[in-house]
Amino acid sequence: MSRPILVKNIMVQKHLQDFNVFPKHVGVWYGYWTRLDAKAQETLRFEAEITQKIIDNQWMQTNTYKYPDGRNVTNSFVGKVISEDEVEIEALDVPEWQNFKTIAREYGDNIIIFNVWNKTTGDLFATEVINLINHNNRCRTSQSFTEEGKVKGFMLIVEERVLE
């Protein structure tokens, strides 16, 4: 449930469509993903199509990963407004993600930062930065961590909007 915002002594909920950065990401994106281990050695390369929409003041996202071995895997996520610049993201069909809490916060005109915590321990599991370079191009970098707080790996993602 989103937290209301106090405006002139009246509690109102900010609409996701009125956020500064999230609405700029609506559309279908296609990109190249590269996973690296803690020593920055490539471990996997694949492609993905990401569909992002705002429906009923919620962030709706579907990721379809296309792996080199021919597998396609689809995951869905929903985000709910929790403050004037934050959205809490939940996985709809990824059981292992039920153990994590994900908060996405926008910064400035182009940046969204996702932080993912283990719900049980409160430890930071991953951080992802999405930089909207221009209307149709963005890059993403993520860092993941072990339960002991050491670097587990990285991901580099370059995407292009293919549909508004």
Side-chain angles (χ1 to χ4, degrees):
M1 182 171 221
S2 55
R3 292 184 296 206
I5 302 164
L6 183 61
V7 178
K8 295 185 180 181
N9 296 325
I10 300 172
M11 298 302 275
V12 296
Q13 177 182 341
K14 186 169 182 177
H15 291 278
L16 191 52
Q17 189 62 45
D18 297 330
F19 274 48
N20 194 35
V21 184
F22 275 94
K24 296 176 185 178
H25 289 267
V26 168
V28 179
W29 298 82
Y30 196 86
Y32 301 92
W33 297 45
T34 305
R35 283 192 184 154
L36 308 171
D37 64 16
K39 295 182 181 179
Q41 299 300 307
E42 185 176 318
T43 60
L44 182 62
R45 185 179 293 252
F46 57 97
E47 298 175 22
E49 181 177 283
I50 312 298
T51 301
Q52 297 173 312
K53 302 175 183 178
I54 296 173
I55 300 173
D56 295 331
N57 203 33
Q58 294 184 346
W59 184 254
M60 305 300 292
Q61 180 170 321
T62 303
N63 298 7
T64 300
Y65 308 105
K66 301 172 185 186
Y67 294 99
D69 64 6
R71 287 180 304 130
N72 288 335
V73 176
T74 299
N75 297 138
S76 300
F77 304 88
V78 63
K80 297 178 181 163
V81 175
I82 60 169
S83 77
E84 63 184 17
D85 60 2
E86 292 177 311
V87 175
E88 185 168 1
I89 307 289
E90 293 182 6
L92 296 177
D93 53 7
V94 188
E96 57 271 17
W97 278 92
Q98 301 307 312
N99 298 326
F100 298 101
K101 178 178 182 174
T102 303
I103 304 290
R105 174 182 252 172
E106 52 182 32
Y107 292 87
D109 294 329
N110 303 334
I111 304 285
I112 296 175
I113 297 178
F114 285 76
N115 282 303
V116 182
W117 295 272
N118 180 308
K119 286 182 180 177
T120 304
T121 65
D123 293 337
L124 185 63
F125 176 75
T127 296
E128 179 176 343
V129 177
I130 303 175
N131 185 358
L132 186 64
I133 300 165
N134 58 46
H135 183 73
N136 288 320
N137 296 277
R138 67 185 183 189
C139 66
R140 300 162 55 182
T141 56
S142 69
Q143 309 158 20
S144 60
F145 311 100
T146 67
E147 292 178 7
E148 296 77 32
K150 296 183 179 183
V151 172
K152 180 178 180 180
F154 306 94
M155 189 149 24
L156 308 171
I157 306 162
V158 178
E159 295 173 306
E160 181 177 5
R161 189 187 328 252
V162 294
L163 189 63
E164 292 280 334

